[in-house]
Amino acid sequence: MTALLEVKNIETYYDLVYAIRGASFAVEEGSITAILGNNGAGKSTILKTIMALIKDQPEKGVIEFDGVPIQNRDTDEIVRKGIAYVPEGREIFEELTVHEHLLMGAYLRKDTPGVKQDIEKVFAYFPVLKQRTHQWAGTLSGGEQQMLAIGRALMLRPRLMILDEPSLGLSPILVKEIFAIIREINLTGTTILLVEQNANMALSISGTGLILENGRFVMKGNSTDLLEDKDVKEFYLGIKSETSAKGYQRWKRKKAWR
Amino acid sequence: MIDFIQMIVSGIAVGSSYALMGLAMVIIYKTSEVPNFAQGEMALISSFFAMMLLTSFHLSVYLAFFFTLVFAVLLGCFLEFAILRRAKEPNVLGMIVITIGIEMILLGFVSWKFGAEQKTMPFPIGPYDSLIIRDIFISKLEVLTLVAALLLMIVLFLFFKFTKLGLAMKATQQNRVAAQIVGIRTNRILMITWGISSLVGAVAGLLISPTIMHPYMMWDPMLKGFAAAVMGGMTSLPGAVVAAYLLGIIENLFGGYVSIEFKTVVAFVIIVLVLCIRPSGLFARHYVKKV
């Protein structure tokens, strides 16, 4: 397998904050790769760096898509190469209708019949959206907006789809649904890079898992192995129980990995 | 009764130029959240450009106006590209000050190049040609302004509603980041926005120029247009238009029945009232972002 996206030793500053401190990883073509980590680890920053949404960053390092370096370009150029991005917190256009959203998702495409077909495809993935075709996106529920954001990204017919916390603020059932669809999208040949807090869900659908801590990767492995890993389990539970000498139940916070 | 109708008709006529200026401001404000105080002077320089083409180069009226509109678009694009885009770490206050600076420069340039005295614009319709319909006076120029304003509004409406570029502009207005990630070149969109806005302003300038033509000619329409834009909520095109007509009518009625001296002040009293009572404007309908 070849790497579709390769990030080599990037360093990113978020204003004055040294957020990404030399991170490297690769996303295999056709795979689902998940980046995990707790708040402030720099997960979203990595994705934003790839999408060139942080001005003049990365400070150092190389990002290669399909063997071609793409760092320090404009966002639209990166999108043009076939990378679709579903941002954290959805970032929809409040006063455009669902239909208009999907048209905007296909902004770079010129093939009208293909676009029409793909709109139907998105509606097949997310039947709720079809009922809301002519409704302003601002009036949709959070879950529907997330579906819309994914649908909009699909309209690009991307080779790589990057998702930033697709489970944010959704009910457990919806999370399950969304992840099932992400897997389906992957089966049709789209490579997926995913950032998540919901470690269980993310590891259950991904092939490779990476754990980020303070702007550095601290662990990498097969997702199935990571799911069983004692440290990972403990870390994501956040606390661990132990029994004291007198037989009282005690709860202890797990220290950070460093 | 005739007086009353006359005042309303004149109000609507005056409102048209306010509407054009209001539209021009709203178009820029929507994309960049900057009230463009140079709007009036951009229109001013376009009007003087037209006068120069007509008097010095003896072009025909249609040709001169066509070139003026092209000039206006280029001017708007240029200002965005050369000045506003270069602003480092832009914030709204800084941008406003930049637009005020542009305004001063353009104003100074026009005064220096053309002189500050009243000029006459060789416009095909004079300011005093008028129609009388059932005892109501309306000048031909006012009719033309009204027609031009309405036409331009319809074109803008169709443009935003049905073209891909218009849709992309709306998308950029609503969420810059989201627009970038679907591959829209938001910088270019911003530039086009300034071009279109400058064009709308230039039309207003051209239609005002037969009546008054000196470096301060756009002050009043610009401020009134701004007032209308604020009344309409700053982000709503139809809002600004309706507010502009309302403003024109109220102003005229106030001048007729209450006090002619305070006629121009009315607009600003209205702004204060609107900002106190409905700060989001009379016609704004907006969704609060969900988290």
Side-chain angles (χ1 to χ4, degrees), chain B residues 61 85 91 134 173 178 189 203 208:
Chain B
V61 175
R85 193 181 293 183
N91 58 31
R134 299 224 183 153
Q173 285 158 8
I189 294 281
V203 171
I208 290 165

Side-chain angles (χ1 to χ4, degrees), chain B residues 14-23 220-221 224-226 228 240 244 247-248 251:
Chain B
V14 167
S16 299
S17 54
Y18 299 169
L20 287 175
M21 290 311 290
L23 274 179
D220 193 53
K224 298 289 170 58
F226 184 47
L247 201 65
E251 207 182 66

Side-chain angles (χ1 to χ4, degrees), chain A residues 53 75-76 79-80 85 87 90-96 100 104 107-109 136 138-141 152, chain B residues 161 164 167-168 170-171 174-175 177-185 189 285-287 289-291:
Chain A
L53 288 170
T75 304
D76 67 271
V79 176
R80 227 170 273 266
Y85 175 57
R90 307 184 263 279
E91 300 281 354
I92 50 140
F93 308 113
E94 273 103 39
E95 294 176 19
L96 292 192
E100 285 172 329
M104 281 291 99
Y107 180 76
L108 294 175
R109 289 172 56 182
W136 274 1
T139 66
L140 301 182
S141 74
R152 184 179 65 190
Chain B
K161 189 93 185 166
K164 198 171 173 182
L167 196 58
K170 272 206 296 194
Q174 288 172 29
N175 194 331
V177 174
Q180 279 174 351
I181 61 178
V182 296
I184 297 172
R185 289 188 188 172
I189 294 281
R285 40 170 198 172
H286 273 287
Y287 281 93
K289 209 178 216 163
K290 278 182 191 165
V291 181

